[in-house]
Amino acid sequence: MQFRFGAKSDFIILAMLATAVCLSAPSASATTVTLTGSFDGLPVIDSLPDYQYAVIDAYRPSTGTRITTEGMLVDGAIAIDLEPDVYNISLVVGATPFNGRTAAAPGDLRVSRPGIDVPSSGPFEVPVTLFYAVHLTSPYDNGEPWNGNILNCPSGPPVSPGFTLTWDPVPKVTSYRVQVSHRTCDELVESVFIETTETTIEVTINPMTGSELNIKIDGISDRGNQVVTSPRMVYLDAQNDSMELHFTETSTRTVRSTDSLTAIQVARAPGVGTSFWTSDLTLSNPTDDPVTATLVFTPRGADGSLTYETATLDLPAGATRTVRDVLGSLFGQTTAAGSLELAPRALQAWVRTSTPAGGGSYGQGYPMMAADDTRVLSLDENPRIATGGVVRGTARTNLALAELWGIESTIRVRLLDRDGLELGATQRTLRPFENIQINDIVRDLAGGSAELTEGRVTLEVLSGDGRVAAALSIVDNDSDDPTTVVLEPF
């Protein structure tokens, strides 16, 4: 692995090298170094009184060693004992214990001070100004590792040439200044500054101005102070103090369409035991004119803006046609599952997924849903949806989710018992047109031995402008016969 220097050298963090060094304990001749932190021009205890936990990381370049100290702030300060030498010192302050963590997470306060010359006698006091580590939520969540590299070109995870950048509000901040820097692999092309009082902006990339992006968010408090910094973000090959992205060419798939219908589950795949599930699609053209239906299949777990297959089918006026095993016959799939989008909306459609059993067959139907359906989860119109009937015991319950709008969305899934007590929760981010299934949701959220005779599941939008449809598949454990239950707004 090599570091790629040049135009990006200011952005590369050599934090990976820290894994090669060991911790060192100070000697009896150590000097007590006290760091006193302020935020927004005030002591931390005055500006953010809940931020009482702190960790100091002191790296000693001359020996390649580091010392860390974790504890509570005392009068807004924390101390560490260091032998006389030059150190690179970082301080992170948070509202919860660090438990061995030294890097800042979103929502922490942080500062790094290189070249601190610790004298041979003390006490030695270092006042520092702390900055809030902003929490980016879209197009990626920087609270999680980013699926991209930064030491090679192109850097960071991919985004489309037009995407939405969102972040959580920062305490004390009244306005933000976003710097979007366009780069090629070797040099900076231009920087664009966007000022806003909101926590979301639309970013449009011109491929002619460079294929890579570096994004920084500054926040100005009501006292006029710059109080925001990016937290260290973890990539596949390194860590970095800025948001690295690169654009990828978008497909021609239409986003934000209300002229289509989607079945959130179709399959051509084996199930429990000897079952093998296939999906039949029935189409009707109620109009007085012939219509060409366009079908789009998105494999489960894929970014549907980049990975999908299309097929067309002609329907005469007033005609009805059934396509048996639609994934095999129209899309040539041997084993697959996912969602199926149909346009135009003037057509009517039904999907039944079934398996041979007992001399006949059993199965379930999934409704075709539009992005503006009242049962679809969306931040502006239906921020919460739910349904009852969740069980585990004589039956098991799966949850199917599909994004219909072509825009990423992050949701929280909660499992509740008969009295409304939460048994478990999870957070899921669906990429554009992505569909997923949480199998045996009671076991997944409440634990492997959990049983539930009466319960419900709720979904809530946390961020993003996507639109998500959801349905339960309640499967009898004796017969493996499933029933579909669609989630509704509440």
Side-chain angles (χ1 to χ4, degrees):
M1 185 181 298
Q2 296 181 341
F3 287 96
R4 181 163 57 88
F5 292 94
K8 292 189 63 181
S9 60
D10 290 340
F11 304 111
I12 297 299
I13 300 262
L14 302 185
M16 294 175 59
L17 301 181
T19 59
V21 303
C22 60
L23 298 181
S24 172
S27 69
S29 62
T31 298
T32 298
V33 179
T34 302
L35 275 68
T36 303
S38 63
F39 176 76
D40 192 20
L42 299 171
V44 173
I45 56 175
D46 294 331
S47 56
L48 295 174
D50 292 338
Y51 282 63
Q52 301 178 10
Y53 301 89
V55 59
I56 300 177
D57 182 83
Y59 176 65
R60 191 178 186 182
S62 65
T63 60
T65 57
R66 65 176 64 244
I67 297 174
T68 61
T69 292
E70 180 180 347
M72 300 282 290
L73 291 178
V74 178
D75 294 330
I78 186 171
I80 186 172
D81 292 332
L82 300 174
E83 295 180 354
D85 206 340
V86 176
Y87 294 83
N88 299 332
I89 298 178
S90 67
L91 172 65
V92 182
V93 177
T96 58
F98 286 87
N99 297 324
R101 174 172 62 88
T102 58
D108 289 338
L109 306 178
R110 67 182 289 251
V111 67
S112 296
R113 289 285 300 274
I116 299 295
D117 192 354
V118 175
S120 57
S121 61
F124 182 57
E125 297 184 1
V126 181
V128 294
T129 299
L130 292 156
F131 295 89
Y132 190 94
V134 67
H135 183 197
L136 183 73
T137 56
S138 175
Y140 293 92
D141 187 334
N142 61 359
E144 303 291 338
W146 284 33
N147 185 25
N149 301 287
I150 61 169
L151 304 183
N152 299 298
C153 183
S155 290
V159 291
S160 63
F163 65 92
T164 303
L165 178 72
T166 61
W167 59 94
D168 284 344
V170 177
K172 313 292 186 180
V173 167
T174 56
S175 64
Y176 301 90
R177 188 170 188 255
V178 182
Q179 179 181 359
V180 182
S181 298
H182 300 254
R183 297 195 308 265
T184 64
C185 292
D186 300 320
E187 63 181 1
L188 173 68
V189 177
E190 70 173 12
S191 290
V192 177
F193 295 91
I194 303 170
E195 296 187 2
T196 179
T197 57
E198 306 295 328
T199 56
T200 181
I201 62 171
E202 298 297 323
V203 178
T204 301
I205 307 167
N206 181 357
M208 301 302 295
T209 59
S211 60
E212 295 187 288
L213 295 177
N214 174 268
I215 298 178
K216 294 183 178 180
I217 299 176
D218 293 335
I220 307 300
S221 74
D222 52 9
R223 294 166 55 89
N225 297 313
Q226 156 61 21
V227 296
V228 170
T229 185
S230 299
R232 181 168 296 178
M233 287 162 283
V234 179
Y235 298 83
L236 294 179
D237 57 357
Q239 298 181 17
N240 199 335
D241 277 352
S242 61
M243 309 168 197
E244 302 288 333
L245 300 162
H246 72 273
F247 87 85
T248 181
E249 294 291 348
T250 57
S251 67
T252 57
R253 188 168 184 178
T254 302
V255 300
R256 297 183 173 92
S257 174
T258 58
D259 190 35
S260 63
L261 301 169
T262 300
I264 66 175
Q265 285 272 50
V266 289
R268 191 180 198 276
V272 175
T274 60
S275 64
F276 191 90
W277 298 86
T278 59
S279 296
D280 296 340
L281 170 68
T282 298
L283 293 174
S284 288
N285 177 10
T287 73
D288 296 330
D289 300 303
V291 175
T292 297
T294 299
L295 301 168
V296 183
F297 168 63
T298 303
R300 181 177 293 169
D303 182 338
S305 66
L306 304 175
T307 303
Y308 62 95
E309 296 186 35
T310 62
T312 58
L313 186 66
D314 293 329
L315 272 81
T320 297
R321 300 286 186 269
T322 295
V323 183
R324 306 292 181 189
D325 185 12
V326 63
L327 294 188
S329 59
L330 275 189
F331 295 95
Q333 300 290 323
T334 55
T335 301
S339 63
L340 185 66
E341 182 181 3
L342 161 72
R345 190 171 173 174
L347 298 173
Q348 296 175 307
W350 302 266
V351 169
R352 178 176 183 264
T353 300
S354 61
T355 184
S361 66
Y362 59 77
Q364 63 189 136
Y366 278 99
M368 303 291 290
M369 302 177 69
D372 58 355
D373 193 297
T374 58
R375 298 168 294 178
V376 170
L377 191 71
S378 63
L379 188 61
D380 294 333
E381 298 180 13
N382 297 318
R384 297 183 303 170
I385 56 176
T387 190
V390 181
V391 295
R392 186 169 193 258
T394 59
R396 61 191 182 275
T397 304
N398 304 324
L399 175 64
L401 303 168
E403 202 289 307
L404 312 183
W405 202 229
I407 307 294
E408 184 174 277
S409 187
T410 298
I411 63 173
R412 177 185 291 117
V413 182
R414 300 174 66 224
L415 176 66
L416 308 176
D417 69 7
R418 59 180 293 176
D419 298 316
L421 299 177
E422 183 177 296
L423 302 178
T426 185
Q427 180 175 315
R428 300 297 173 97
T429 297
L430 277 77
R431 296 171 292 178
F433 300 112
E434 184 176 12
N435 63 87
I436 63 174
Q437 178 167 293
I438 303 177
N439 292 319
D440 199 348
I441 190 171
V442 177
R443 179 187 63 187
D444 188 274
L445 297 188
S449 61
E451 292 193 0
L452 186 64
T453 56
E454 296 174 283
R456 68 174 181 143
V457 65
T458 69
L459 273 62
E460 178 185 7
V461 182
L462 298 181
S463 64
D465 293 326
R467 300 190 178 186
V468 178
L472 299 181
S473 177
I474 303 172
V475 186
D476 184 273
N477 284 335
D478 290 332
S479 66
D480 287 324
D481 192 13
T483 302
T484 303
V485 179
V486 177
L487 276 72
E488 303 279 351
F490 72 101

